[in-house]
Amino acid sequence: MLKKRFLLAMCACLVMASAALALEVDKDLPAYKKASGVSGNLKSVGSDTLNNLMALWSEGFKGQYPNVNVSIEGKGSSTAPPALIEGTAQFGPMSREMKQKEIEAFEKKYGYKPSVARVAVDSLAVFVHKDNPIKCLTLKQVDGIFSKTLKGGGKDIKTWGDLGLTGEWADKPLSLYGRNSASGTYGYFKEVALFHGDYKDSVKEQPGSSAVVQGVASDKYGIGYSGVGYKTPDVKIVPLGKKAGECVDATAENAYAGTYPLARFLYIYFNKNPKEVMSPLMAEFIRYIYSKEGQLVVIKDGFYPVSKALADEDLKKVGLAK
């Protein structure tokens, strides 16, 4: 996690240089320039968190190349590695890093590791109903809410009164919403917020990120976790902190600076033989993502853009740097 926070902080220095408080695309990212000879079909299989982003990128890309068709399937990050290994998808969006066993399975099939692009920054948020008066949660409290193993060192939290709420809230039980085990968000939250612990059996597992937020929006005493980009007017995001008194909002600035405890990169994995040139179709889609237009889409969808330095680093690794 320290390495991730360092990288996010580096993004901050570069992306926010021109306006410290305004969420902007890095001014040094290039505008996208249409290439010749690009056509064909692309398929993406993987993270539900990136579903909207992939759809928006595909829409913009098709605006450049009307003869390109893009198919998107988002059922969870764990569906990406098998699709790449089996060759049923060119891109595998993931809201977590590939596990070692997934990388090894890919390498066993192809003789080299999968390639990866860090395409956006996300804050994983804890949502409550818009009328909920809760002001702050520590990670220890989050663990007590969602975990039955309590590896964060806290106590089991069952009611809103256990979190200090009074009046009508005091005796009301928490209604828990979360993702299913195929989700990278499920895995990331388990690793960081639950300290590698186990979820309570009472967590209502949802098939998608938006379903978590919809569940909380319709349940006054609900609480759930999902990507910050899925916020709606019917819910609010609870500030989080490692310790009491350290709670911060789920903003881009706090994510880049590493002060928000649930900030993460979003990834796209793909099959790139290091001895071969990537197909023009795949290469241009990745270049589009790392263009000004592609990173404006990131902001539009509620996530945070990456810097030109980071984009150049990832493009260089796969032979696409110009």
Side-chain angles (χ1 to χ4, degrees), residues 143-150 156-158 174-179 186 190 194 197-206:
D143 182 52
I145 292 168
F146 287 96
S147 177
K148 62 184 179 183
T149 47
L150 302 176
D156 185 23
I157 295 172
K158 297 181 178 179
L174 286 84
S175 181
L176 310 179
Y177 293 83
R179 291 299 313 280
Y186 172 104
K190 176 182 172 73
L194 305 190
D198 296 324
Y199 286 94
K200 288 179 177 177
D201 297 334
S202 57
V203 178
K204 294 177 275 291
E205 294 187 355
Q206 305 298 309

Side-chain angles (χ1 to χ4, degrees), residues 50-263:
L50 280 97
N51 235 19
N52 289 340
L53 263 181
M54 290 301 295
L56 289 168
W57 279 326
S58 299
E59 181 182 337
F61 193 66
K62 279 180 63 66
Q64 300 283 341
Y65 306 103
N67 293 327
V68 169
N69 294 307
V70 184
S71 172
I72 301 166
E73 184 178 304
K75 293 183 178 179
S77 292
S78 67
T79 64
L84 293 176
I85 292 169
E86 294 161 13
T88 56
Q90 289 93 348
F91 293 122
M94 299 184 70
S95 60
R96 60 166 173 82
E97 292 180 292
M98 262 199 199
K99 298 175 182 177
Q100 188 58 37
K101 63 180 181 180
E102 294 168 331
I103 294 173
E104 289 172 355
F106 183 97
E107 191 170 12
K108 183 178 180 180
K109 173 74 175 286
Y110 293 102
Y112 51 86
K113 291 179 171 60
S115 294
V116 61
R118 295 165 292 178
V119 295
V121 176
D122 180 28
S123 287
L124 197 57
V126 173
F127 293 93
V128 294
H129 189 274
K130 62 180 176 61
D131 295 332
N132 193 311
I134 195 81
K135 301 293 184 185
C136 166
L137 288 172
T138 65
L139 287 190
K140 184 183 290 187
Q141 288 174 317
V142 172
D143 182 52
I145 292 168
F146 287 96
S147 177
K148 62 184 179 183
T149 47
L150 302 176
K151 290 190 175 182
K155 63 178 183 178
D156 185 23
I157 295 172
K158 297 181 178 179
T159 69
W160 287 104
D162 292 338
L163 291 168
L165 298 193
T166 59
E168 68 161 299
W169 294 85
D171 62 347
K172 296 298 189 297
L174 286 84
S175 181
L176 310 179
Y177 293 83
R179 291 299 313 280
N180 55 29
S181 59
S183 163
T185 298
Y186 172 104
Y188 180 84
F189 197 77
K190 176 182 172 73
E191 174 188 345
V192 181
L194 305 190
F195 302 87
H196 296 277
D198 296 324
Y199 286 94
K200 288 179 177 177
D201 297 334
S202 57
V203 178
K204 294 177 275 291
E205 294 187 355
Q206 305 298 309
S209 298
S210 61
V212 172
V213 176
Q214 289 168 10
V216 173
S218 61
D219 185 344
K220 187 175 182 180
Y221 305 108
I223 183 169
Y225 62 90
S226 186
V228 69
Y230 286 86
K231 186 184 183 302
T232 70
D234 297 318
V235 296
K236 74 176 189 179
I237 295 174
V238 184
L240 300 179
K242 284 187 175 181
K243 300 177 182 178
E246 294 182 358
C247 287
V248 297
D249 292 322
T251 64
E253 294 77 24
N254 292 331
Y256 289 136
T259 55
Y260 185 75
L262 297 182

